[in-house]
Amino acid sequence: MWELRSASFWRAIFAEFFATLFYVFFGLGASLRWAPGPLHVLQVALAFGLALATLVQAVGHISGAHVNPAVTFAFLVGSQMSLLRAFCYMAAQLLGAVAGAAVLYSVTPPAVRGNLALNTLHPGVSVGQATTVEIFLTLQFVLCIFATYDERRNGRMGSVALAVGFSLTLGHLFGMYYTGAGMNPARSFAPAILTRNFTNHWVYWVGPIIGGGLGSLLYDFLLFPRLKSVSERLSILKGTRPSDSNGQPEGTGEPVELKTQAL
């Protein structure tokens, strides 16, 4: 429980709330139809991707810029953060998402709001197919996050923020045709709350959570294993892990640095 007495812990919680608010505001806002005709998938995909890249750059060093309960769950599965921190992150993300959607709702003309970019299944796509798509979309996204955030890598190339943003963009370019590309339970939850439409909403929780968990297991236990004992993992989950040499608690799910690096 030492985290509750830490100012950096509460800054991280606020950063997740703040970042998710802006992510949902700009992402959903770019997904609204202001004119008749089909929605441009590239526009929406780039809006979500650029929004996340911007927020990773802005608050990544504060909270890790999860902005997504599925990502937080993935870090929890990998024993990289405590249960308490994970719970608070998820609560902040959901509240931030609803707040962002509410602000967007209030500033958007009624004729344009529609369903507030609610995630829906494409006609002909079954719930099983949709769940599978959401699993794969989130799996590749979490793999990218784990790989780019990994402090054990030497000579990382490029921008972490852009890599994560492009991974999210990729998921939208494919997933929007199937499920609207949820990939983030908070993003799906916010418009569902405001429009009171929860049809097939469970798909946008089950798919990303499973995908996030699988991504964590695949990276941390198979592709690039973290050599931690069971007792070390349990201590991190309990929040009793001692501080490292820099005075920062280990297992927060935060990247060590988010600047461009070259070989």
Side-chain angles (χ1 to χ4, degrees):
M1 291 296 181
W2 63 268
E3 288 179 304
L4 294 176
R5 300 189 297 272
S6 169
S8 63
F9 173 79
W10 292 108
R11 282 196 295 268
I13 300 303
F14 178 73
E16 286 297 309
F17 171 84
F18 171 86
T20 312
L21 185 157
F22 274 79
Y23 173 76
V24 167
F25 179 80
F26 285 106
L28 296 188
S31 306
L32 299 179
R33 285 186 171 87
W34 286 82
L39 189 64
H40 296 288
V41 172
L42 181 59
Q43 170 188 316
V44 177
L46 285 176
F48 276 105
L50 291 174
L52 183 60
T54 301
L55 293 166
V56 168
Q57 191 67 36
V59 303
H61 59 294
I62 301 171
S63 69
H66 294 188
V67 197
N68 185 336
V71 172
T72 298
F73 179 75
F75 277 106
L76 182 64
V77 169
S79 302
Q80 296 192 50
M81 65 191 311
S82 69
L83 283 164
L84 174 63
R85 182 179 289 261
F87 174 80
C88 291
Y89 267 34
M90 291 181 186
Q93 291 156 2
L94 291 174
L95 291 174
V98 173
V103 173
L104 178 65
Y105 185 92
S106 67
V107 300
T108 305
V112 178
R113 291 174 191 153
N115 63 2
L116 213 61
L118 178 73
N119 283 133
T120 56
L121 274 57
H122 189 277
V125 176
S126 68
V127 291
Q129 292 170 328
T131 304
T132 303
V133 168
E134 286 292 320
I135 290 173
F136 275 87
L137 296 180
T138 314
L139 173 59
Q140 67 83 23
F141 180 53
V142 166
L143 278 177
C144 179
I145 289 176
F146 271 50
T148 53
Y149 277 21
D150 196 341
E151 72 282 357
R152 298 170 298 165
R153 292 182 61 180
N154 294 320
R156 290 180 294 179
M157 292 189 302
S159 166
V160 172
L162 286 179
V164 172
F166 281 139
S167 177
L168 185 68
T169 300
L170 170 64
H172 278 75
L173 289 173
F174 177 87
M176 283 190 65
Y177 295 105
Y178 290 82
T179 63
M183 301 177 65
N184 185 334
R187 174 260 181 267
S188 302
F189 179 73
I193 280 286
L194 293 182
T195 61
R196 298 178 179 84
N197 186 345
F198 291 92
T199 303
N200 297 322
H201 181 67
W202 63 268
V203 169
Y204 300 100
W205 280 88
V206 174
I209 291 296
I210 292 177
L214 288 176
S216 175
L217 293 173
L218 183 61
Y219 186 84
D220 266 359
F221 293 90
L222 182 61
L223 295 177
F224 200 0
R226 291 182 181 271
L227 303 179
K228 296 177 182 176
S229 66
V230 174
S231 60
E232 286 178 318
R233 293 183 181 277
L234 287 176
S235 66
I236 293 173
L237 292 174
K238 293 177 182 177
T240 56
R241 179 83 171 166
S243 297
D244 63 16
S245 59
N246 294 322
Q248 294 296 325
E250 295 181 356
T252 62
E254 300 174 15
V256 170
E257 53 184 324
L258 291 170
K259 59 185 179 183
T260 301
Q261 300 188 9
L263 285 174

